[in-house]
């Protein structure tokens, strides 16, 4: 009898619990003079070495907090001095002389000087470099050290974005002593140092008492990993998470807006959300198929349904907020009939099945369901396979063992990925590479922007992936929290300027 | 007085369970809308004549999803119970008829299985084997095995000492024949009741697994996932959580009432007491 009652009760509880979990309005923690912060993230980083992995989650934990570079990119996308307090550029644009901040020490006590710069850049340019953004360092010809606190970087050719590039999370300074173990025990020069990593749950940082710059106001920062939209909503409502800068449940935003305990920040990211197609696999090797799959998607309906309307449609691998953006969303407007015709022309039989791998973020999981329904209408059957982040990085990104996947590329201005020899969507176009080569070698800013437009157009023409929308930064935070970034010009959660209002 | 109440239980339980079965069967051939079809212009629509239960965040018809969800819930629960009974009953019967070391091993094995919370075990199994309907069935089925083994053993031991079994044994019947011909028919009632209860538990377990994303995978609808998805929409469309919750509650209530009623009707001891 007990057991039957238990079954009944469990059934009722499951229903009631749903209402309660989202409904309870517990008072958020109101400790006086709070000096700790718990920040929510959807994805857990695979490791904590930003110079050895493509996952943005690594930089979302470490950027500006643990590691610093010679320059840094601020919340407004501008280049600011980092470990280099100033620099000068030779008139031919080939020699950069950085004046380094003196007396800086890594968390393990080892000193920061020009040798570290030489080591860090040398490591990134080495043939066996595992840096995910090797192209940033490719122009570097040589680093020399006239004295301990001066670094002279010689380039192979003028590179317009060099200072911006050296501000990326992938270009941070690492100590020769700890470079090999940074994945599990990150050591940088930043205002926070690594304290603890509970896998599957959280990473904890604590204030670095020996920091060379202005001391941060926070004493401890906890990055907590919650992928499930419902769980994330409940955790923020209960005050377990103080800020969720890339909040996975945009549909709950109105609820937070109406609640004075919270503030909602809607900003932009560099996230180009795409259906990545494995271009070497049939039928995606046929441009007609890739175009058809794009014609079949109603982007604004997708943004409404999967993202509650947050996000801007894109027609190429570039976001509207970046310089040189060309609106190409009209290249393949929503047209299911045309999609069917193209699929027919390409010999793709109705009922052909496509497997889409869906990593945990809700843009992928929910977007996948919507795209499945849209492709269904043009006769493509889809199989949705939800996978974990680590598995995505391994199977899709590293081993390119997939047909299609949905992912947001959050790196800034990363048109280069389509010019790489090996990248997980396997796009190969000599015309694009030539164009990109031309872009890289162009110094004139105006001519460069024009080429950025050409590159976007070429991608829209070839449509290697289905370009969907620019990911919005839909953030929720405790109303008393100050100093979080509103936009994401680079993937980061820079908490160095965060504080609690009285 | 009490017998009327008890048969009312049976009738109400049977009616609810049959209704669920009917809905599940109907969903195989007809639903008002395709359960995975999305109507982006009518998202989060409240209940109306066009969509009696409204639509969800993708503009899918909730009624159609509930109907299809019944089908997947029933399938998972049915197969899970079949797995549990199919392995548990022979194990229990074997333990009862052979006794000795075998009995000890089987029963201690059951104790061991009981030591782990059933739903957590299922979560663990599906998390290891990968999410999906088949793995959910197996996971729920596995924790049903010891339940059936224990009930079978207990009931069979009661029958095995009866005179007609002794007579059959004296007449030279084999153990297998005795179990099949004399024991099983006599404990069928108990097993039926147990199966109904396990069925209800399996439905809750299936809903729980799909609630945490380990059961039936999208786009195939399931009650548990509907509840999960409704959660963040609770302020905008609270009814989204009500309908799947109600479906689970009614299904479990129906099966429990049916089990109760059947127990009263079939259990000879209770019949005598009346």
């Amino acid at each position: 009898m007990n057991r039957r009652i238990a079954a009944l009760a469990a059934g009722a509880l499951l229903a009631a619990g749903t209402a309660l979990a989202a409904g309870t309005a517990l008072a958020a923690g109101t400790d006086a003079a709070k000096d700790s912060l718990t920040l929510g993230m959807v994805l857990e980083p695979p490791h904590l070495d930003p110079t050895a992995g493509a996952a943005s989650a690594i930089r979302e934990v470490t950027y500006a907090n643990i590691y610093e570079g010679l320059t840094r990119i601020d919340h407004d996308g501008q280049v600011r001095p980092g470990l280099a307090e100033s620099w000068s550029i030779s008139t031919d644009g080939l020699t950069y002389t950085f004046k380094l901040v003196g007396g800086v020490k890594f968390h393990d006590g080892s000193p920061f000087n020009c040798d570290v710069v030489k080591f860090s850049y040398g490591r990134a340019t080495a043939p066996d470099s595992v840096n995910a953004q090797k192209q940033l360092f490719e122009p570097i010809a040589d680093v020399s050290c006239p004295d301990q606190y001066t670094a002279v970087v010689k380039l192979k050719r003028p590179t317009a974005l060099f200072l911006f590039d050296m501000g990326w999370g992938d270009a941070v300074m690492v100590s020769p002593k700890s470079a090999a173990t940074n994945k599990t025990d990150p050591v940088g020069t930043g205002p926070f140092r690594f304290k603890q990593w509970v896998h599957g749950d959280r990473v904890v940082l604590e204030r670095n008492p020996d920091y060379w710059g202005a001391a941060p106001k926070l004493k401890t920062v906890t990055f907590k990993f919650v992928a499930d939209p419902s769980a994330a909503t409940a955790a923020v409502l209960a005050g377990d998470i103080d800020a969720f800068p890339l909040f996975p449940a945009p549909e709950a935003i109105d609820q937070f807006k109406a609640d004075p305990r919270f503030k909602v920040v809607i900003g932009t990211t560099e996230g180009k959300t795409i259906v990545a197609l494995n271009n070497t696999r049939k039928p995606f090797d046929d441009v007609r198929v890739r175009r058809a799959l794009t014609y079949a998607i109603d982007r604004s309906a997708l943004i409404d349904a999967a993202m509650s309307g947050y996000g801007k449609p894109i027609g190429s691998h570039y976001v509207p907020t970046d310089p040189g953006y060309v609106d190409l969303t009209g290249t393949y407007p929503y047209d299911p009939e045309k999609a069917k015709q193209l699929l027919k022309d390409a010999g793709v039989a109705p009922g052909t099945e496509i497997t889409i791998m869906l990593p945990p973020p809700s843009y992928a999981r929910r977007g996948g369901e919507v795209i499945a329904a849209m492709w269904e209408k043009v006769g493509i059957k889809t199989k949705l396979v939800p996978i974990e982040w680590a598995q995505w990085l391994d199977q899709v990104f590293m081993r390119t063992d997939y047909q299609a996947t949905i992912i947001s590329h959050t790196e800034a201005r990363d048109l280069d990925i389509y010019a790489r020899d090996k990248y997980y969507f396997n796009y190969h176009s000599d015309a694009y590479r030539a164009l990109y080569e031309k872009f890289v070698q162009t110094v004139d800013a105006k001519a460069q922007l024009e080429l950025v437009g050409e590159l976007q157009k070429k991608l829209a023409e070839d449509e290697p992936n289905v370009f969907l929308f620019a990911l919005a930064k839909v953030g929720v935070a405790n109303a008393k929290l100050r100093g979080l970034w509103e936009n994401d010009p680079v993937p980061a959660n820079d908490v160095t300027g965060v504080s609690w209002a009285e | 007085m009490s017998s009327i109440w008890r048969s009312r239980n049976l009738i109400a339980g049977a009616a609810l369970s049959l209704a669920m079965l009917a809905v599940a069967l109907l969903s195989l051939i007809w639903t008002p809308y395709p359960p995975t079809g999305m109507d982006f212009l009518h998202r989060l629509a409240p209940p109306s004549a066009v969509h009696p239960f409204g639509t969800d965040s993708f503009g899918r018809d909730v009624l159609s999803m509930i109907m299809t969800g019944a089908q997947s819930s029933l399938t998972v629960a049915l197969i899970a119970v079949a797995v549990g009974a199919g392995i548990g009953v022979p194990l229990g019967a074997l333990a009862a008829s052979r006794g000795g070391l075998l009995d000890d091993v089987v029963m201690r094995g059951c104790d061991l299985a009981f030591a782990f919370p059933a739903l957590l075990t299922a979560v663990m199994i599906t998390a290891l084997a990968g999410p999906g309907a088949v793995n959910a069935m197996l996971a729920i089925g596995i924790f049903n095995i010891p339940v059936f083994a224990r009930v079978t053993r207990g009931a069979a031991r009661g029958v095995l000492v009866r005179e007609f079994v002794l007579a059959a044994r004296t007449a030279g019947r084999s153990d297998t024949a005795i179990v099949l011909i004399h024991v099983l028919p006599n404990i069928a009632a108990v097993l039926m009741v147990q199966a109904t209860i396990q069925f209800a538990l399996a439905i809750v377990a299936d809903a729980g697994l799909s609630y945490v994303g380990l059961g039936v995978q999208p786009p195939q609808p399931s009650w548990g996932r509907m509840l999960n998805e409704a959660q963040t929409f609770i302020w905008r469309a609270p009814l989204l959580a009500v309908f799947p919750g109600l479906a689970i509650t009614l299904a479990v209530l129906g099966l429990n009432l049916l089990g109760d009623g059947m127990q009263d009707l079939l259990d000879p001891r209770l019949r005598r007491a009346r």
Side-chain angles (χ1 to χ4, degrees):
Chain A
M1 196 62 194
N2 271 345
R3 198 161 280 220
R4 252 164 290 162
I5 292 169
L8 199 58
L13 270 178
L14 205 58
T18 308
L20 278 174
T24 31
L26 293 170
T30 48
D31 316 1
K34 214 177 156 186
D35 58 3
S36 67
L37 170 73
T38 305
L39 194 136
M41 282 171 56
V42 169
L43 296 176
E44 176 170 20
H47 58 76
L48 292 172
D49 184 354
T51 64
S56 293
I58 304 172
R59 280 158 289 278
E60 284 171 9
V61 171
T62 61
Y63 188 73
N65 301 328
I66 296 182
Y67 300 102
E68 297 171 302
L70 291 189
T71 61
R72 70 190 172 91
I73 297 160
D74 217 339
H75 61 94
D76 49 7
Q78 296 298 313
V79 179
R80 301 266 150 79
L83 286 170
E85 53 185 38
S86 65
W87 51 80
S88 59
I89 308 168
S90 64
T91 43
D92 60 2
L94 287 176
T95 308
Y96 285 67
T97 308
F98 293 96
K99 190 169 179 320
L100 308 180
V101 178
V104 175
K105 279 197 171 16
F106 281 91
H107 300 154
D108 64 356
S110 54
F112 168 74
N113 51 36
C114 182
D115 293 335
V116 173
V117 179
K118 200 172 166 131
F119 169 78
S120 297
Y121 288 170
R123 187 164 162 264
T125 46
D128 61 346
S129 163
V130 289
N131 198 296
Q133 310 294 343
K134 272 183 265 191
Q135 82 287 349
L136 299 178
F137 308 94
E138 190 273 334
I140 298 178
D142 174 55
V143 181
S144 55
C145 297
D147 69 69
Q148 208 184 350
Y149 293 119
T150 308
V152 178
V153 179
K154 285 217 160 52
L155 303 186
K156 294 174 194 162
R157 55 172 181 272
T159 308
L161 282 175
F162 188 67
L163 289 172
F164 184 87
D165 291 349
M166 292 305 107
W168 279 50
D170 307 77
V172 293
M173 292 296 126
V174 292
S175 163
K177 242 173 85 184
S178 55
T181 53
N182 274 342
K183 281 187 179 180
T184 49
D185 189 12
V187 171
T189 57
F192 292 95
R193 61 186 182 195
F194 173 74
K195 187 176 173 196
Q196 185 196 18
W197 184 356
V198 181
H199 285 268
D201 185 46
R202 63 186 189 272
V203 168
V204 184
L205 311 183
E206 62 181 358
R207 185 157 58 199
N208 169 14
D210 306 321
Y211 183 55
W212 58 273
K217 295 209 172 66
L218 296 172
K219 207 170 156 194
T220 54
V221 181
T222 307
F223 293 88
K224 201 158 170 57
F225 311 113
V226 185
D228 182 67
S230 324
T233 310
V236 176
L237 278 173
D240 295 339
I241 287 176
D242 301 316
F244 217 124
L246 285 168
F247 190 61
E251 66 277 9
I253 284 297
D254 289 344
Q255 176 188 344
F256 286 104
K257 273 186 185 159
D259 193 328
R261 293 176 299 148
F262 303 102
K263 68 179 165 199
V264 170
V265 183
I266 310 289
T268 57
T269 73
E270 292 287 327
K272 293 148 287 268
T273 312
I274 61 174
V275 185
L277 304 171
N278 195 341
N279 279 236
T280 46
R281 291 229 183 148
K282 279 189 188 312
F284 309 121
D285 54 344
D286 188 332
V287 67
R288 288 173 297 185
V289 176
R290 306 196 296 261
R291 285 176 183 163
L293 293 177
T294 314
Y295 273 122
I297 287 173
D298 180 349
R299 293 189 181 94
S300 59
L302 166 72
I303 295 170
D304 280 348
M307 309 304 292
S308 293
Y310 296 104
K312 284 239 158 42
I314 52 171
S316 187
H317 198 89
Y318 216 66
V319 292
T321 42
D322 274 346
Y325 171 75
V326 182
D327 185 354
L328 295 162
T329 48
T331 317
Y332 310 106
Y334 177 52
D335 188 345
E337 288 314 311
K338 194 145 190 186
K340 276 188 218 166
Q341 186 59 45
L342 277 170
L343 285 173
K344 204 174 151 204
D345 293 348
V348 176
T352 300
E353 191 176 87
I354 294 178
T355 303
I356 315 181
M357 301 290 191
L358 304 177
S362 51
Y363 64 73
R365 293 275 164 96
R366 291 177 183 176
E369 289 198 58
V370 177
I371 284 166
M374 288 174 174
W375 282 357
E376 192 116 329
K377 284 189 183 153
V378 299
I380 296 285
K381 268 179 53 182
T382 47
K383 190 171 164 225
L384 302 175
V385 181
I387 55 173
E388 287 309 309
W389 185 228
Q391 196 193 345
W392 188 92
L393 286 171
D394 175 52
Q395 186 182 341
V396 179
F397 192 75
M398 300 305 292
R399 292 192 282 120
T400 69
D401 176 16
Y402 74 107
Q403 274 194 300
T405 184
I406 299 176
I407 192 71
S408 206
H409 282 254
T410 51
E411 291 79 20
R413 306 167 206 185
D414 54 347
L415 285 162
D416 73 283
I417 57 178
Y418 292 86
R420 292 192 193 177
D421 282 333
K422 195 180 172 308
Y423 206 59
Y424 74 104
F425 39 71
N426 292 322
Y427 169 69
H428 300 286
S429 157
D430 292 336
Y432 184 85
R433 283 186 195 192
L435 205 57
Y436 190 79
E437 200 53 36
K438 201 170 147 198
F439 161 71
V440 170
Q441 304 203 356
T442 307
V443 192
D444 178 51
K446 195 158 161 274
Q448 248 201 346
L449 285 189
E450 254 166 52
L451 279 166
V452 165
E454 292 301 311
L455 287 166
Q456 292 172 61
K457 280 179 199 150
K458 177 67 184 151
L459 285 183
E461 186 196 327
D462 286 352
E463 198 71 4
N465 299 314
V466 179
F467 302 108
L468 300 173
F469 57 86
L471 195 66
K473 182 172 170 120
V474 179
V476 186
N478 189 303
K480 288 185 178 156
L481 215 49
R482 304 279 178 271
L484 277 169
W485 286 15
E486 288 187 7
N487 301 312
D488 269 356
V490 285
N493 285 305
D494 179 352
V495 295
T496 56
V498 174
S499 62
W500 288 91
E502 287 311 309
Chain B
M1 195 52 206
S2 70
S3 71
I4 295 172
W5 169 236
R6 278 181 177 140
S7 58
R8 262 191 202 159
N9 264 3
L10 184 68
I11 292 165
L16 274 174
S17 306
L18 280 176
M20 179 174 164
L21 186 66
V23 166
L25 289 177
L26 179 63
S27 78
L28 284 174
I29 49 169
W30 178 84
T31 52
Y33 296 86
T36 55
M38 298 182 184
D39 177 358
F40 299 112
L41 295 176
H42 300 99
R43 303 171 47 237
L44 300 173
S48 64
V50 196
H51 296 287
F53 287 3
T55 60
D56 76 349
S57 60
F58 294 144
R60 292 178 294 199
D61 181 53
V62 173
L63 176 59
S64 307
M65 291 174 75
I66 296 268
M67 289 174 69
T68 320
Q71 176 199 320
S72 74
S73 239
L74 276 185
T75 316
V76 169
L78 194 71
I79 294 183
V81 170
V83 167
I87 301 177
V89 170
L91 264 183
L94 201 66
S97 64
R98 288 284 154 82
L101 182 65
L102 184 75
D103 188 17
D104 280 344
V105 169
V106 171
M107 284 306 113
R108 294 303 81 76
C110 288
D111 289 344
L112 197 69
F114 275 125
F116 296 97
L119 193 56
L120 282 186
T121 315
V123 166
M124 191 188 74
I125 294 171
T126 38
L128 287 177
V134 175
N135 287 340
M137 290 170 195
L138 291 179
I140 301 170
I142 285 172
F143 77 62
N144 269 320
I145 295 173
V147 176
F148 280 102
R150 202 175 247 194
V151 167
T152 308
R153 176 185 173 269
R157 275 173 72 100
V159 176
L160 280 167
V161 294
R162 302 268 289 274
E163 291 82 355
F164 63 89
V165 175
L166 290 176
R169 207 176 292 255
T170 322
R173 289 265 193 189
S174 72
D175 273 0
T176 320
I178 288 173
V179 165
L180 287 178
I181 299 168
H182 299 290
V183 176
L184 279 183
N186 274 292
I187 64 170
V190 182
L191 291 182
M192 283 283 282
V193 172
Q194 193 63 43
T196 321
I197 297 163
Q198 292 311 117
F199 203 97
L201 280 169
I203 285 183
V204 177
D206 167 58
L209 284 182
S210 52
Y211 178 83
V212 293
L214 295 172
V216 175
Q217 290 300 302
Q220 176 79 8
S222 76
W223 292 346
R225 194 151 37 76
M226 287 175 75
L227 270 183
N228 181 318
E229 284 170 4
Q231 207 164 301
T232 50
F233 287 92
I234 201 103
W235 295 104
R236 286 169 70 180
L239 287 177
L240 272 184
V242 170
F243 291 116
L246 214 56
I248 297 169
T249 312
L250 287 179
V252 174
L253 180 69
L255 285 163
N256 275 305
L257 289 178
L258 183 69
D260 255 356
M262 277 195 343
Q263 184 163 36
D264 298 346
L265 199 70
L266 297 172
D267 194 321
R269 273 167 301 172
L270 282 174
R271 210 162 27 191
R272 265 201 300 274
R274 220 177 273 159

